[in-house]
Amino acid sequence: MDEMDIRGKLMEMLTDSGALLEGHFLLTSGLHSGHYLQCALLLRFPWYASFAGEELAKLIKPLGPEIIASPALGGIIIGHEVARALGVPFIFCEREDGRMKLRRFPTPEGMKFAVIEDVVTTGGSVAEVGELLKSMGGIWVASGCIVDRSGQNGFAKLPGELLSLAKMSFPVYRPDECPLCGRGLPLVKPGSRKR
């Protein structure tokens, strides 16, 4: 399946699952948007999760990760699917007192790892997980996601290219410049990071 076929199938799955939402959203980055990708709605279907994981694993495999890591909560299902497709272990980091921590797993010291997320807007959570595991002696070789919506959003420093199944560009706004706030639309916070 070529890149256009994969993107087309992914868009069909996002639509069918109800994962592409419209409204007024507070993103985990603190930015506002009129669109939100709730990939949990996509990933609740095991066959969609399997497809996305297998296709993302094909992009990540040449970089040779020995373990896959994800930020909780959004990256857990897709990270696990990528690890399954690659035949490598999976770990996740979770937020504790506002900072990512590796609590339930051994440190990946000396191991090449890839950080996998569902949707990336600024790369903040991916960078936080990657930097944490690097500080524990891991070797950060790749970062990937189902949908890259980073566009021109002031991307966090990641090693190499962010690998993704699709790139989408929706306007995002700083809260003080948000036209949706100006129109009085109610703000919804569907993400997981507290601001």
Side-chain angles (χ1 to χ4, degrees):
M1 192 177 282
D2 71 14
E3 187 176 324
M4 290 303 291
D5 290 339
I6 292 166
R7 189 180 193 291
K9 183 166 181 167
L10 180 63
M11 291 307 297
E12 182 180 305
M13 294 183 324
L14 288 167
T15 301
D16 288 349
S17 66
L20 181 55
L21 307 174
E22 292 186 18
H24 182 198
F25 302 100
L26 174 61
L27 305 176
T28 57
S29 63
L31 300 172
H32 292 198
S33 179
H35 296 87
Y36 187 78
L37 284 169
Q38 182 57 272
C39 275
L41 295 174
L42 171 76
L43 297 171
R44 68 188 163 143
F45 297 106
W47 47 95
Y48 288 168
S50 178
F51 171 81
E54 288 169 9
E55 293 302 326
L56 195 49
K58 290 175 188 174
L59 298 176
I60 299 288
K61 185 175 184 167
L63 299 166
E66 300 166 294
I67 192 165
I68 299 298
S70 291
L73 190 62
I76 290 178
I77 294 172
I78 189 60
H80 190 272
E81 285 293 326
V82 169
R84 183 191 58 75
L86 292 173
V88 300
F90 171 74
I91 60 175
F92 62 85
C93 297
E94 53 201 302
R95 208 164 284 289
E96 183 179 280
D97 298 325
R99 298 179 60 204
M100 283 291 181
K101 303 270 171 110
L102 181 66
R103 295 181 38 207
R104 303 167 195 268
F105 306 99
T107 61
E109 186 174 355
M111 297 180 81
K112 293 190 278 183
F113 70 89
V115 181
I116 302 297
E117 177 69 290
D118 57 355
V119 177
V120 170
T121 300
T122 65
S125 294
V126 172
E128 198 174 347
V129 169
E131 291 300 328
L132 173 65
L133 299 181
K134 267 180 51 178
S135 76
M136 298 174 165
I139 304 158
W140 191 1
V141 297
S143 305
C145 59
I146 299 171
V147 177
D148 173 3
R149 59 171 287 180
S150 62
Q152 305 295 322
N153 295 326
F155 210 98
K157 180 90 174 121
L158 305 176
E161 174 188 5
L162 175 66
L163 302 169
S164 67
L165 299 182
K167 292 181 185 342
M168 293 184 185
S169 181
F170 301 124
V172 293
Y173 312 99
R174 290 191 355 225
D176 59 337
E177 299 173 345
C178 178
L180 304 169
C181 288
R183 293 193 344 233
L185 294 175
L187 185 64
V188 177
K189 184 184 179 298
S192 60
R193 187 189 312 168
K194 291 185 180 176
R195 286 302 216 174

